[in-house]
Every structure is written in C-alpha cells, then in structure tokens.
Amino acid sequence: MKDVAERFLEYVKVDTQSQDDVENVPSTEKQRNLAEMLVKELKDMGAENVRLSDHCYVYATIPANTKKKLPSIGFVSHMDTSNALSGKDVKPRIIKNYDGGEIVLNEELNIRMNAEAYPVLTLSKGKDLIVTDGTTLLGADDKAGIAEIMTMAETLLAHPEIEHGTIQIGFTPDEEVGRGVDFFDVEGFGADFAYTIDGGELGEIEYENFNAAAGKVQIQGVSIHPGSAKNKMLNALLLAMEFQNMLPVNENPMYTDNYEGFYMLNALEGTVDSARAVYIIRDHDKGQFEDKKARFLKIGEYLNEKYGEGTFKVEVKDSYYNMKEKVEPHMHLIDNAKRAMEEVGVTPAVVPIRGGTDGARLSYMGLPCPNLCAGGNNFHGRYEYVPVQSLEKIVEILLKIVEIYATEDNLK
Ligand SMILES: [Zn+2]
C-alpha cells in the first residue's frame, strides 16, 4: 500500500491548473491527466463503478460490506489548482522535523518563509513539512484531499474486517474557477450526504458560508465639450463614485471579519459618457443578505430620481447560498466529524467560511455537504505547505467517520 504522502507527491507533479473564462468543463484538458491516473488507481485497488465523465468528473464506489442498513457517505475533492500561480513542474521538498525557524524555499531567488509573516507555521513545529521550491504553488489545495480520500479508500478495500456502509468518491475539475459542481451528477453519485475535503488547517470543520450575489451598475452619463458643459454634462464616472459613496463605509471586506457581510467594488471602468461598476455582495445571515441587496437596488432608484430615469441600471443576481440551512437538518454530519477528530486526538474547530465551497452548491443540489480540513496552508501561492503528519491524521479522521457511521446510533 502506498502511504498518503507518497500519493500526494505523485499528484502534485501533474499540472492541473484550471482557467477562467472558458466555456468548457474541464476548462483545461490537462486536468484529464490526473483524472485518468486516479481512475486507474481506483480500479487497481478494487473500487467498483469507477467512471470518468465527459466533463472530467471521477466517480467510484466502495460497496458496503455489512448487512446493516447504513447511510451512503460521499467524499469529494477537486483536482484542479488555482490560476493565481503556476502548478507546472512543482518540485516538492520535505523539511523533516521543522524547527520553527525560517524556511529557505529558494536560495537562488531568495524566497523565504517564516512564522512572523505566517504565524500558522508555529502550529507545525516538529512536523515534516512538504513545501515548494518557491516558484510554483504546491497544490495541497486540493490534492491533499484527494490523497487522503484515496488512502482511506485503499485502506477500506484492503481491510474487509473494517465494517462500513457504501462509500462514494467524487473528484471534480474546475473548482477554482467556480465550475466544480456544474456537471456533478448528484443522483448518479448516490450518496445520502457527503463531505468535501477541501479546508485548511488540521481540525477545521465548516458548514456555514456566505450567501452571495453579484451586483452590476450600468451608468449612462452625458458627454459634452468641457468648455460648454455647465448644467449639461453628467459625468458617468462621478456618478459611479456617488453610488459607491452611498454604500455603508464599514461594510467592506477591508473592515469586516467572522460573520460580518460586505459590499465589494470589484471592477470599475468608464468614461464621462458611460461607466460600469461590478460588485459582489456577501452575508452569512439570510435576512441581512436580502437587506443588502435591497439597499443596493434602492440606491439606484434614488439616483434615478435625482438624475433622471435610465441614468442607472442596477442588477443583482444571486450566486450561491449559505449551506447552513441545508446542513442543520443533518447535524450528525458535524457531530460525527467532531467526534471522529476527538477520537484520533485532533481538536475540532468549527469556523465560518468567508467565501463559498463546492459543498455549498452541492447542498442546494440535494447533497448536504459540509467541508473538512485537507491539512494544508497558504493556499494559491508559493508559500503553500502541508505537514505529512496532517495528511496522515486526516486519513485517520476519514476512517473514523466511516466507522462511526457504521454504528447503530450514527444519525443522532
Ligand atoms: Zn480547494
């Protein structure tokens, strides 16, 4: 049997970077290279129903080995890596027994990482860290999750004495470009509920994320020669600034944390004649989310009264919702994950996500799906790392979850 770190090191060598603004899923053909590798590996280890969809989704089943009536649990990770930094020619290196000091990732390019800049590193003192050579990201997001699920799967298949219900496995493309579940076959997947293994530090459990909407403001000004502009010109750029200034100053990602929501001006372009502002709107609380969208629209109405109908065209479109609503009726998902962690000596930390996850969308597609830690840190950049011991511990957590769901009182 391969160990989880060995697996992880193999997966990160396959470049699976996804790409924005591409019509197709997968957005990059190279993601199929990892998908095919995983399909072969799953077949070799004896998983059943192993299949690769046209859209590059990998699915597999580990059949139940008991007559007990147990729920079918899914485990999901994504194969692609962020386009924030290259994931090609990743050269991972293991720092044994990390001493807590500065890590020289690349002597030649003088790329260093230390606990002053990344305090989370102090949690990893004494562990064996897998790091990059400073020129690429690592890909622990989310190949750590894949390696953990694969190792869990192989352990279950090699040890029929571990009693378990049906386990469904799903690996998705294009999570990083927001398309990860567009073609996820929830029905074919066949799980009663699932976990994404796509979080950070060991111990994290997440089932609350933002409600999210996109806001668009189109502004029509009146352009005229500045020499004769008095009482005639309507400068669309200034109107865009006026719109922004009517939003609550503090409800901005620069000033918010934890459960606080915000409006974020994401892009602004224009001329005197016309301008366009693009926003994102976020809030964990459904009511406050609705209020935020209503205020956004109301500002447009007010400014149209002031400057004339048609000056502002304001649109709001929902992107995704807080999965809390869909997970709360199945709180055993959270309770059992916590219990599994405690039983293997990990302190669980339930934290709200200031973003979304594929699990959030899956939850609204009928598959309740909280998110668990994959163990890495500093995702999407050259300082990304994962401790070997975290990879190993998460495999233990997944096996423990499976074991807990095989006991009689598993859904309480
Ligand atoms: Zn991820």
Side-chain angles (χ1 to χ4, degrees):
M1 255 182 51
K2 272 189 231 168
D3 70 44
V4 61
E6 195 182 338
R7 265 203 174 93
F8 174 72
L9 293 171
E10 277 174 20
Y11 301 157
V12 299
K13 282 176 189 148
V14 186
D15 177 14
T16 56
Q17 190 180 49
S18 50
Q19 200 180 322
D20 260 319
D21 296 323
V22 175
E23 203 52 31
N24 295 340
V25 173
S27 61
T28 52
E29 283 299 310
K30 59 192 175 185
Q31 294 181 66
R32 293 190 198 275
N33 296 335
L34 180 60
E36 279 159 13
M37 204 168 133
L38 293 168
V39 162
K40 183 177 184 306
E41 214 180 326
L42 282 161
K43 283 183 178 163
D44 287 350
M45 69 173 71
E48 288 185 14
N49 208 8
V50 181
R51 57 220 191 270
L52 173 57
S53 81
D54 290 346
H55 290 290
C56 196
Y57 288 66
V58 177
Y59 304 101
T61 302
I62 304 173
N65 63 2
T66 170
K67 290 210 167 62
K68 281 189 201 166
K69 206 177 145 24
L70 298 176
S72 167
I73 317 168
F75 293 93
V76 178
S77 288
H78 65 89
M79 296 180 284
D80 64 318
T81 61
S82 163
N83 53 28
L85 191 66
S86 170
K88 188 171 184 284
D89 298 324
V90 174
K91 295 183 194 71
R93 176 166 69 97
I94 302 184
I95 296 172
K96 294 248 175 206
N97 192 13
Y98 169 55
D99 63 6
E102 184 172 75
I103 296 170
V104 181
L105 294 173
N106 194 311
E107 185 77 70
E108 204 178 295
L109 299 171
N110 194 26
I111 300 171
R112 293 152 196 278
M113 168 162 76
N114 58 51
E116 275 101 79
Y118 299 101
V120 73
L121 264 176
T122 52
L123 296 174
S124 296
K125 201 175 164 190
K127 294 183 180 167
D128 304 327
L129 306 193
I130 305 178
V131 300
T132 70
D133 70 351
T135 63
T136 64
L137 50 68
L138 179 62
D141 178 12
D142 189 19
K143 289 164 185 166
I146 297 177
E148 289 149 5
I149 293 171
M150 291 294 278
T151 309
M152 171 202 73
E154 194 181 29
T155 307
L156 291 174
L157 289 161
H159 294 275
E161 73 278 9
I162 306 175
E163 191 183 31
H164 61 82
T166 308
I167 310 293
Q168 306 291 9
I169 291 170
F171 298 131
T172 65
D174 284 346
E175 188 269 353
E176 299 289 359
V177 292
R179 309 287 306 274
V181 298
D182 283 12
F183 296 95
F184 195 100
D185 177 12
V186 169
E187 202 169 318
F189 189 55
D192 295 312
F193 37 76
Y195 294 97
T196 48
I197 313 300
D198 191 21
E201 184 61 36
L202 183 64
E204 275 179 22
I205 301 174
E206 300 162 325
Y207 72 100
E208 294 176 88
N209 61 285
F210 276 141
N211 294 292
K216 279 188 189 144
V217 185
Q218 184 68 45
I219 302 153
Q220 185 57 58
V222 177
S223 177
I224 187 164
H225 189 282
S228 49
K230 191 169 181 185
N231 297 329
K232 294 192 186 80
M233 181 189 276
L234 210 45
N235 187 330
L237 284 165
L238 295 183
L239 296 184
M241 289 160 71
E242 189 171 347
F243 185 96
Q244 167 62 33
N245 287 340
M246 290 185 72
L247 291 168
V249 174
N250 287 324
E251 293 181 18
N252 183 306
M254 296 194 289
Y255 310 121
T256 48
D257 205 354
N258 293 317
Y259 287 101
E260 294 163 339
F262 58 76
Y263 302 88
M264 181 174 97
L265 177 57
N266 209 20
L268 172 63
E269 57 186 14
T271 59
V272 172
D273 180 64
S274 68
R276 184 171 167 269
V278 180
Y279 285 84
I280 62 170
I281 302 169
R282 300 287 186 265
D283 208 297
H284 279 96
D285 183 86
K286 194 74 191 246
Q288 288 187 32
F289 175 62
E290 294 302 329
D291 290 348
K292 279 196 167 61
K293 291 189 294 180
R295 174 185 278 142
F296 194 81
L297 292 167
K298 189 96 187 155
I299 293 172
E301 283 168 28
Y302 168 79
L303 290 171
N304 272 338
E305 272 170 36
K306 186 171 170 188
Y307 292 108
E309 203 49 49
T311 308
F312 283 79
K313 277 202 192 89
V314 182
E315 275 171 47
V316 168
K317 198 174 160 232
D318 290 355
S319 313
Y320 55 83
Y321 301 109
N322 189 346
M323 72 170 117
K324 182 180 175 186
E325 214 174 283
K326 299 289 172 189
V327 173
E328 267 180 348
H330 312 274
M331 272 315 270
H332 57 83
L333 282 166
I334 306 307
D335 296 337
N336 287 343
K338 277 192 201 163
R339 188 177 140 197
M341 287 184 182
E342 279 159 0
E343 285 185 20
V344 302
V346 172
T347 308
V350 179
V351 287
I353 310 173
R354 290 183 65 76
T357 71
D358 273 1
R361 284 179 61 205
L362 287 173
S363 295
Y364 280 86
M365 286 160 73
L367 183 69
C369 191
N371 188 37
L372 301 180
C373 52
N377 269 304
N378 301 341
F379 289 166
H380 298 193
R382 61 187 87 248
Y383 302 108
E384 192 181 7
Y385 69 90
V386 61
V388 171
Q389 288 80 357
S390 295
L391 295 172
E392 290 167 352
K393 213 58 182 173
I394 292 164
V395 176
E396 282 183 53
I397 292 169
L398 302 188
L399 287 166
K400 191 54 92 174
I401 289 173
V402 170
E403 188 188 305
I404 290 171
Y405 274 105
T407 57
E408 305 293 346
D409 59 348
N410 54 59
L411 297 181
K412 280 179 196 149

